[in-house]
Amino acid sequence: MTKLQISGIIGLAFLASCSPKEKTNEVNASAQTDSMAVQKSTEAVDAAHNSQNSLDWSGTYEAVVPCADCPGIKTSLTLNKDKTFSITEEYIDRNSKNNDKGTFDWDTTGSVITLNGKSAKYKYKVGENKLFQLDMDGKEIDGPNKDLYVFHKK
């Protein structure tokens, strides 16, 4: 073989090896663009759907929440569609019961409510047939007793 033929074969081999990579890069770029479009579309849908407008949140929820100096507080909370509530807190092993009622407000995300009663100023994250009581700063309660702050719909 001559030097010219060898150079030609090497050149063809070089060109052949570059073509699939370029095509692969084009396919990857196209797939990434499609994936980004789907992600943006999903984000738009998620922003439009929240607990306030997507869940059947009205009804009565119950839980026995922890108490510092008693076995627990049996709590029943009713949320009404007109954004009013009533709450009953009964201290177990005591002759003490607290009733309150008032209105509640949704936060800007449509996922957290704040009770506006005479004494009840609690915050809850609204889930599917559940309420998650939040701490005074509006953060989820964590730790070994966190499940005791989950209210279940009756």
Side-chain angles (χ1 to χ4, degrees):
M1 276 193 179
T2 67
K3 286 184 180 181
L4 184 58
Q5 289 175 328
I6 293 173
S7 295
I9 292 172
I10 291 173
L12 285 174
F14 178 74
L15 289 175
S17 69
C18 291
S19 294
K21 286 182 185 174
E22 289 173 5
K23 217 171 217 180
T24 301
N25 288 341
E26 289 172 14
V27 170
N28 286 344
S30 175
Q32 186 177 14
T33 302
D34 291 345
S35 174
M36 291 170 71
V38 168
Q39 183 179 1
K40 286 181 182 177
S41 172
T42 303
E43 288 172 1
V45 170
D46 289 345
H49 292 89
N50 57 42
S51 298
Q52 182 179 7
N53 64 25
S54 298
L55 298 179
D56 182 23
W57 50 263
S58 64
T60 301
Y61 299 81
E62 294 181 338
V64 177
V65 296
C67 176
D69 57 354
C70 72
I73 307 167
K74 184 179 177 185
T75 307
S76 178
L77 172 60
T78 301
L79 301 177
N80 302 305
K81 289 186 180 192
D82 66 354
K83 296 192 341 184
T84 60
F85 77 91
S86 61
I87 189 168
T88 302
E89 298 169 300
E90 184 178 342
Y91 291 76
I92 299 172
D93 288 349
R94 286 194 191 167
N95 194 13
S96 179
K97 195 174 197 178
N98 181 37
N99 294 307
D100 199 0
K101 59 184 175 179
T103 60
F104 64 89
D105 297 312
W106 288 92
D107 73 345
T108 56
T109 67
S111 63
V112 174
I113 60 168
T114 302
L115 304 185
N116 301 306
K118 290 178 186 171
S119 61
K121 304 290 183 193
Y122 305 115
K123 293 178 184 273
Y124 299 92
K125 182 176 179 182
V126 180
E128 186 73 38
N129 297 317
K130 293 180 183 178
L131 297 177
F132 302 88
Q133 187 170 342
L134 304 176
D135 68 14
M136 300 305 287
D137 296 323
K139 296 178 183 168
E140 290 189 37
I141 296 171
D142 202 10
N145 294 328
K146 70 180 182 179
D147 292 339
L148 298 175
Y149 293 94
V150 179
F151 287 63
H152 297 275
K153 194 172 184 181
K154 283 183 18 178

